[in-house]
Amino acid sequence: MKLPGQEEFEHSSAHENVLAEELDSGLGPGPSLGGPSDTDNGESGVSKDPLLFIQLNELLGWPQALEWRETGRWMLFEEKLEVDAGRWSAPHVPTLALPSLQNLRSLLAEGIVLLDCQAQSLLELVEQVISGESLSPELRGQLQALLLQRPQHHIQTTGISSCRGPNAFRNVSFDEDTPMKLQNPLKQKLPPGAEAAAVLAGELGFLAQPLGAFVRLRNPVVLEPLTEVILPSRFFCLLLGPPTLGRSYHEMGRAAAVLLSDPQFQWSVRRANNLHDLLAALDAFLQEVTTLPPGRWDRTARIPPPKCLPSQHKRSLSELQEVTGLSRGSAAQARDRHHHGQHAPSPELQRTGRLFGGLVQDVRRKACWYPSDFLDALHPQCFSAVLYIYLATVTNAITFGGLLGDATEGAQGVLESFLGTAVAGAAFCLMAGQPLTILSSTGPVLVFERLLFSFSRDHSLDYLPFRLWVGIWVATFCLVLVATEASLLVRYFTRFTEEGFCALISLIFIYDAVGKMLNLIRAYPIQRPGSPAQGCFCQFPGPGGNASEWTSTKHKDTDVLSVHLGLVNASLLSPPECIRQGGYPRGPSCHTVPDIAFFSLLLFFTSFLCAMALKHVKNSRLFPSVVRKVFSDFSSVLAILLGCGLDAFLGLATPKLLVPTEFKPTLPGRGWLVSPFGANPWWLSVAAALPALLLSILIFMDQQITAVILNRAEYRLQKGAGFHLDLFCVAVLMLLTSALGLPWYVSATVISLAHMDSLRRESRACVPGEAPHFLGIREQRLTGLVVFILTGVSIFLAPVLKFIPMPVLYGIFLYMGVAALSSIQFMKRVQLLLMPTKHQPDMLLLRHVPLSRVHLFTAIQLACLGLLWIIKSTPAAIIFPLMLLGLVGVRKALEWVFSPLELLWLDELMPEEEKNIPESGLEPEHLFSRAGNEDSELMYQPKTPEINISVN
Amino acid sequence: MKLPGQEEFEHSSAHENVLAEELDSGLGPGPSLGGPSDTDNGESGVSKDPLLFIQLNELLGWPQALEWRETGRWMLFEEKLEVDAGRWSAPHVPTLALPSLQNLRSLLAEGIVLLDCQAQSLLELVEQVISGESLSPELRGQLQALLLQRPQHHIQTTGISSCRGPNAFRNVSFDEDTPMKLQNPLKQKLPPGAEAAAVLAGELGFLAQPLGAFVRLRNPVVLEPLTEVILPSRFFCLLLGPPTLGRSYHEMGRAAAVLLSDPQFQWSVRRANNLHDLLAALDAFLQEVTTLPPGRWDRTARIPPPKCLPSQHKRSLSELQEVTGLSRGSAAQARDRHHHGQHAPSPELQRTGRLFGGLVQDVRRKACWYPSDFLDALHPQCFSAVLYIYLATVTNAITFGGLLGDATEGAQGVLESFLGTAVAGAAFCLMAGQPLTILSSTGPVLVFERLLFSFSRDHSLDYLPFRLWVGIWVATFCLVLVATEASLLVRYFTRFTEEGFCALISLIFIYDAVGKMLNLIRAYPIQRPGSPAQGCFCQFPGPGGNASEWTSTKHKDTDVLSVHLGLVNASLLSPPECIRQGGYPRGPSCHTVPDIAFFSLLLFFTSFLCAMALKHVKNSRLFPSVVRKVFSDFSSVLAILLGCGLDAFLGLATPKLLVPTEFKPTLPGRGWLVSPFGANPWWLSVAAALPALLLSILIFMDQQITAVILNRAEYRLQKGAGFHLDLFCVAVLMLLTSALGLPWYVSATVISLAHMDSLRRESRACVPGEAPHFLGIREQRLTGLVVFILTGVSIFLAPVLKFIPMPVLYGIFLYMGVAALSSIQFMKRVQLLLMPTKHQPDMLLLRHVPLSRVHLFTAIQLACLGLLWIIKSTPAAIIFPLMLLGLVGVRKALEWVFSPLELLWLDELMPEEEKNIPESGLEPEHLFSRAGNEDSELMYQPKTPEINISVN
């Protein structure tokens, strides 16, 4: 069982992976073209070099008071000591002047190089270094004393609480338990096994000759006062000399430190045998440096750390290219990217060729993860996920329950919706291949059910028995699809299909949220000055009250009907009180509740904007990262709480969440089990196969597109998908719900994505300048299970839930829809339509596909989306499932309009398209892209984990 | 007179200045330490080198079909041709590999260098270049044919409409009128006098030896088909050779182009006499390049253009430092920054030593700008400014009018407020030294007037005559201050004082906006379910109606009073109709208007958020820049229009803007002229000097702090300030308004800043990658004048203005307060208090002042602000003017807490502090900041024009 505390280990091991990736030079400088090794999570058996902590100590104060002071340090990036401010600068990419590197090279070439030095302490080391120099004994003594002097370190003691972890304890084995160790918080951020390197540089007037020394220790030794962090030192570099014109020892020291912080140089110098190897490594570094022209870039500008480091794999590759003079065409690059993005076809999408072979494979693969599916859920984040998804599910159940009740004249209602959601959802979470999926009634299925009900009403059929047969047939068809491994067709669902479907579902969410809000406003009308007479009073049938007569007078200028009542026995009681006392509330404003409409709008916008803003708090600079993470993770819950608080504070009678409290079917007089025939003729059970065919297509598409979206490679799911098993579960549940007269359920895209997003795992950035990495999703069955159990229990939670105003939930729905819509690439391309060319972002696809072609692709997607929307809204909605299938067809037809390469950049390839990509850029166009490897930095970077619901 | 069309010339000449700055190398590579020449607007008489347009043509297709193709171009930054996409990349900082520069150097060293070549055409040029080579005649012919071949250019024809300008016509003199010229939109963006350089590079298999040639033409010649833009070419560089391992001619070509695009290299090579000079220039370039380590920076990453280019001045300086081995201490840097920021004390702050000497100087200085003060206003932007400021002024006049009416029991009212604002504002705009200032009633003066009125009421004095004498004394004191040039004391108003005052005024704005909104909500109460009986009906005194009796019954559980009326003659008419027909509206809800409170809140937030969002549209990527500029410039007006539209659409009875319609004093029975004594004893006219003294301090502080803020160097005002003249005008207007019984007026910080912000001038970015520059403010008298004339006329505009709902105006007030508050550095430091160290931005002051000291300074400012707020809100408000003066004292006292250097970074220096800064870093601390010139890039960059109202 993994306890919350263990989480920290998880983080730090992820951290190690990252470092491993970073130190990929362990593979050696020879190019390894076997595969993109830099994305495998340290699978290769090659031993990695440890991280180096490099520190620059400068000699200052010549000639008055000589003193060593730490002025810079390097782990991944450079941090400079801001002397005046007494703080470390923000980590930045180190920049060097070329002369300092050249000066360093010549100093080292003439200096002392000790490789595999045996020294056991700083004293021994210093003695060995100085003995190599031809110095007078007096000078030697002075120098030795100077080198043994304790340097001044700036230890920063703030802002580390968020990164404190058990690493501190794991490091104990490496060094002595001095009190110093606990003083420096940096130590706790370094990965275990880290080594130190000390660079000592400065101007020393009494030297006649410059003194350069480079030492590699055979066994790393803690050189006691030298480094700020107590770590065993591996390298020692000494750069001293008389003050000379144009030779800054400070800059040379920085150059040495930057060299040591370069993984490739470090790899070489760890293995160097002599001075020649050392200089060769320096020259190799020089060959690879990036130079920026002085007139266009200020050397003193600090470049913030890039989002991802250049991969060592690529460096090796470009080196090879330089040697062989080859450069690869854009087609080859595109293919690289393709394979890189897709890897090999995943095991769950390989055909077994046996009946139910895929299902068996799925079950076998999933079985071994089953215990961990529960243990992995023990993390506070899951609590937030449960709250968020539970509220979304309950709202969804109520909404769809209400809609179904309308559509089927009570054959299914809110109670059925709750019960069905709870039963089907919980069963799915327990059995399915992808338990992160949240089952729900979906829009397309609702539309279909409405049509089915109209049909059976128009032909006087008994609805529920008819529906049972449809369900039986659908389950049968689905089982056939499972048996024949038809789910493998999901490979034809490219991003084009996914985006079309996802955009449609998101738009339905947005449309519904706004639509329900408008309905609510209609239910609580706003009173305008010109609206009908606002009066309301309580009339009693008292004495004389009988004499009242209604006289309507029509105003001249308005259509307002004002009523003259004559003599009545009246009072000013509120309508409920009036009725209680035996009177009749009279007047048009007796039954309107003022202020509700606008207050609901305020709640709606407040909860929407609040959820949006809280989600963005994560990227803010204010507050410690823990606080920001809580705000961001609980954004929806906090937004709901804020809305409820506001509502409770003002105490207005806004419409609240109502959950059913009694456990019996909505339709009076029916039992829980649907009779198989009822009043229908026997042949209807056969005829039901026809609508069932359409419904099967719909269920298959709805279920599998969502499954494909959820199982995208970017989400780094470890436990794999289970397309066959998922469909099998849906089929079985179809049978169950049909028999019980409950609604039908398939995977709900938006809520499932919200579920996954609330379960994101990210590494914490610890080494200065390191960005947090997306680690994956907390894959488990428990959150879903709890959500659905809570949904079932909700019937008893009515007293608590009744405080949640509906407008707040609509606001959260709007947020979910907007978040899901705004994160798909399709929307970025739609924005391109409105963007002047020069403001367009540097998207990879814009570098390779002409803008007009990009726009054409976007326009086709927009047209498809429009068509789907129209079909969904008209009586032709019955062919909607076929139209979804049509999306795949349209994508197939696009092959005639776009070249395979264009499709590769704009979309993905369908299985048989892959062979159509030209082997090496044969088209003349591609001969020209000589500097085409320019985008490689984008190509090799790990695909961003864009979870569609994520707002970032 | 300057017509709108001329604006373009203004832009382009500003553009020239920028380029002049950029090409500052005209000053020569020798360091010029005379002064920071790079901020003067091209004042020096040294001739500038023209801008170079550099184009790289690559030879592609060897061995099949040889063809030249343009693959890159350089003006300020690099643009690369995206071959596949058929577009130019976004401009970026060029990056090079070191080997390509070294290869280029060796190729040039062995190649042909023709300086001052006399060729008149491409043919002649090619002949001269080839003649220098030892080639067989056959090869020579082939090569010549190849070089004369027309290259393929990619001409982008979109996205230029916004930059089209008269430049196109100014260029005509330089080249032939071919139809080509009009095809390339780039041509129109280049400044007049631009020259071209062509780099031809590629692999040519039939060459045995590499062929390198560098040509400088004595007279630039249009080399017809070579460059995409038809410009006279100055340089020609040819780099051809057989395909060799590790030698990319493409990269060498890029290196040559990048070299030519460097201003310093360009300067040298324009003046080079021989190959040696050329190579020396290349070596100098190499000495200055910035190198980035390969393991931490991917060379292929494209770096977007920096916000400002490194100044040539600084490059010369750092070169000098390298030669002399000197590095300057942080104190010297700080002083540099100080002088750089402040320049010499401006002429308007120099003491003349004569009575009224400053005033005379001000008038003399301003007189010569007077005609241009009207002509400069002819620009559409001024229209938006007038609308925006007019609405703000009118709202302010109404608000303060209402408050004054309350405070003085009608002695001054809304009409006086309108009249006074119009008269005083217009007079000030016509006469003042800084006509961008907007006069208004201000919070502090209002507080003082309220106290004065209470005093005279408590002592049964005749208020207006008493007030007249106070006014006379204040005017007298102010005239004495003008005569003695007391305004020179503004030099003691450092940023500390400005920020305290500005923050206070902004907070008052925010507080007032929110407070008025809450008052409005209180005026339209929300009806809660538990609130009193909601009934309302119309009762007629008809037959039997007399028999009605009121019976109150008290509910058990609530305090609600429900009324039983018995027999009445009732109807359901609306209350106004009821009264019209002779009835009486009865019931508690007859006089409440529902829905108004929440709708007002919605309008309030909508207009606030809309103004905020529209202001930010300027930074969006969507829409062409013209559209975005309109949205941003008119953000407040658009927000007001949206609010009005929403209000009109729903037609609710929200409270609207009401302007007086009748022209007579609010207090009945008084004439326009205040009698000098009234019922007061004669000695009161002398005693009035005491309150007048306090008021004079207040007026002086209020007026001059605002004036200092408005005249900051960052705003780049060309026409200078007029502190003495402004105070003189205020004194005269004081006299006038006191005599007429109108409110008193001083400069209003927030509205004046909003006025300036709406008149910002920015250059349009034309050369790719160039950022728009802040050019200054449209300094003129017309917008202010029109605003105040409109304010006066507003009495007749009531039928239009009555459609503006008050909540919308409150929203705009909130926006103005928030915008003004959020842009002062003080707020950034307040945010630092909440920010973990590692997330803090790289602010210059954080590099030099310890964080704890920064926090201490911020805390002191916060404490001062809190104290001011408390005093303003209590009866002690009478000493408020002294407290404002106290701010200067607190700042003075801070000299004991902070060192001068710290104050220099955190604030500015007061006049006598400047001599306290140590000449060269004497404190030991400063010996250590060896790499201290690191911040020079921040130090030398032009101060950002942060206009306080600006939201960016």
Side-chain angles (χ1 to χ4, degrees), chain B residues 5 91 96 137 167 251 258 416 681 885:
Chain B
L96 291 172
N167 281 357
E251 283 300 316
V258 172
E416 279 83 359
L885 209 57

Side-chain angles (χ1 to χ4, degrees), chain A residues 530-535 550-556 558-564 587-588, chain B residues 571-574 577:
Chain A
S531 54
Q534 325 149 297
W550 293 73
T551 322
S552 294
T553 53
K554 189 124 177 156
H555 275 230
K556 290 178 299 294
T558 58
D559 278 346
V560 176
L561 201 75
S562 71
V563 178
H564 192 251
Chain B
S571 100
L572 285 169
L573 294 174
S574 65
E577 186 67 8

Side-chain angles (χ1 to χ4, degrees), chain B residues 81-118:
Chain B
L81 183 70
E82 313 279 18
V83 179
D84 295 348
R87 65 189 275 161
W88 287 108
S89 74
H92 52 273
V93 177
T95 56
L96 291 172
L98 195 53
S100 63
L101 277 164
Q102 290 161 337
N103 289 340
L104 175 68
R105 190 188 192 284
S106 56
L107 189 58
L108 287 183
E110 295 159 10
I112 305 156
V113 171
L114 296 176
L115 301 175
D116 294 325
C117 166
Q118 305 271 16

Side-chain angles (χ1 to χ4, degrees), chain A residues 60-78:
Chain A
L60 298 165
W62 173 265
Q64 298 104 318
L66 286 175
E67 148 180 74
W68 293 100
R69 178 178 277 231
E70 179 188 16
T71 57
R73 65 185 190 192
W74 288 257
M75 273 147 289
L76 292 182
F77 298 97
E78 174 168 350

Side-chain angles (χ1 to χ4, degrees), chain A residues 76 296 533 568 621 839, chain B residues 76 296 568 572 621 628 839:
Chain A
L76 292 182
R296 296 292 168 254
V568 292
R621 284 167 177 270
H839 295 301
Chain B
L76 293 182
R296 295 292 168 252
V568 292
L572 285 169
R621 285 168 177 272
R628 281 182 285 137
H839 294 301

Side-chain angles (χ1 to χ4, degrees), chain B residues 104-225:
Chain B
L104 175 68
R105 190 188 192 284
S106 56
L107 189 58
L108 287 183
E110 295 159 10
I112 305 156
V113 171
L114 296 176
L115 301 175
D116 294 325
C117 166
Q118 305 271 16
Q120 293 297 320
S121 71
L122 180 59
L123 182 63
E124 279 181 48
L125 179 69
V126 166
E127 276 171 354
Q128 289 198 26
V129 168
I130 295 181
S131 67
E133 286 288 315
S134 52
L135 293 169
S136 71
E138 191 198 357
L139 269 182
R140 188 162 294 184
Q142 263 185 298
L143 194 59
Q144 182 166 341
L146 189 65
L147 288 174
L148 293 174
Q149 199 175 309
R150 175 179 286 273
Q152 285 197 27
H153 297 143
H154 173 74
I155 313 272
Q156 207 147 8
T157 48
T158 52
I160 48 108
S161 50
S162 64
C163 271
R164 203 184 295 268
N167 281 357
F169 304 100
R170 294 166 99 188
N171 283 336
V172 172
S173 51
F174 282 93
D175 46 59
E176 297 75 44
D177 246 323
T178 57
M180 276 287 283
K181 180 180 68 67
L182 290 171
Q183 281 171 20
N184 197 340
L186 185 67
K187 179 69 181 284
Q188 298 164 5
K189 304 188 195 174
L190 291 171
E195 294 179 350
V199 179
L200 279 66
E203 284 162 12
L204 195 54
F206 60 67
L207 287 179
Q209 291 291 321
L211 191 161
F214 185 89
V215 180
R216 187 180 73 213
L217 289 155
R218 174 180 285 275
N219 299 310
V221 176
V222 177
L223 301 176
E224 185 50 79

Side-chain angles (χ1 to χ4, degrees), chain A residues 376-438:
Chain A
D376 287 357
L378 298 171
H379 188 272
Q381 201 182 13
C382 294
F383 179 68
S384 154
V386 165
L387 260 179
Y388 176 28
I389 301 305
Y390 162 65
L391 286 169
T393 304
V394 163
T395 320
N396 225 5
I398 288 168
T399 313
F400 277 103
L403 292 172
L404 272 171
D406 278 0
T408 63
E409 294 175 2
Q412 276 142 49
V414 175
L415 186 82
E416 279 83 359
S417 181
F418 265 74
L419 187 64
T421 304
V423 170
F428 192 86
C429 279
L430 279 175
M431 307 188 307
Q434 184 44 271
L436 294 173
T437 313
I438 299 291

